[in-house]
Amino acid sequence: MTLLYSGVEEELRAAVRALLADRLPPAAVLAGVESAPPYDPGLWKALARDIGTAGLLIPERFGGAGASAREAAVVLEELGRAVTPVPFLTSAVLATGALLGAESEAAGGLLASLAAGDTTAALAVSLATSPYRAPDAPWPVTQSRGRLSGRVTAVAGAEAADVLLVPAGTALYAVAAGEVRVEPVVSLDLTRPIATVTLEDAPATPVADGPAPLRAALELGAGLLASEQLGVAEWCLETTLAHVRTRYQFARPIGSFQALKHRLADLWLEIVQARAAARNAADALATAMERGTAAATEVAVAQAWCGTVAVRAAEECVQMHGGLGMTWEHPAHLFLKRAKAGEIALGTPGDHRAALAVLADLPGPA
């Protein structure tokens, strides 16, 4: 195992960063969150097809790149640095992860379509769903005679999806987006909107039986979300450093004041630790996908730490920018909202700490 980035990963990072720098400056993100739909279809097409990020995790036999979770983590770091409004996490990670574990003919057909960038999918579960959800806990959607009925709230990526993967009972079903009603709701994170999905006797195709594919997808998503949170934190630190070096008070840069130096040094240390945790989780997930090993401990460690660090970095960014950081025109609030929303996505830090205690056989306080 190595936490260093390979040459291929650095090339992938450079390609994604160059595309985002050209197509998605902060002003474009701010303008986009006030428009409908909030997703940028043109940018997603360029990412999905031209760079091939849609099929990164999909094996070559289905037309994908056959890459590992390490490469997907690098993409998410860059998407986090730009709070990019594209459905990579929801389609290329969560939905793809569920289909990879399904091993059915229907899942294979969907994977081929996803790899080509022709289709975008979303997992129809609340974004707050934890990987540690009890396998026998009921889902809000029921199945009868091959048709699904029910209502799922806080689904991320549903507005941009052509196909929804809906859990019902112990199985996972594929439902065409045209057969469901997707109602956008007010979302804290304007760059990753959520919606309520309603199914009324919708025709569905079974793609997986049993809870294992869904749980694996949630664990994969939680582990890779840590890399996106790392990207958010790194942008906040770099932007804040640039500001305190050029913002003067009392005829000297405000970054020269020791109080701010200490806060930024502490934040740098936390981000370095977050990078190690996120890279460790991505490497463990890559090994798990290749050899079938477990990655639960590494995922729990990464999510217990990275979500909190991203929120702290965003809060420091807003505070150290002073009045400027409080304005709508500065993008700092977008990063704070992404960090806050990400902190409770796919399990809260408390959920992951509790799971880690069980995995490490550490009893809680009496």
Side-chain angles (χ1 to χ4, degrees), residues 53-68:
T53 59
L56 266 186
L57 294 174
I58 298 175
E60 293 179 357
R61 67 178 184 278
F62 295 118
S68 73

Side-chain angles (χ1 to χ4, degrees), residues 304-317:
W305 181 251
C306 294
T308 304
V309 171
V311 170
R312 191 168 120 67
E315 289 176 342
E316 290 286 51
C317 180

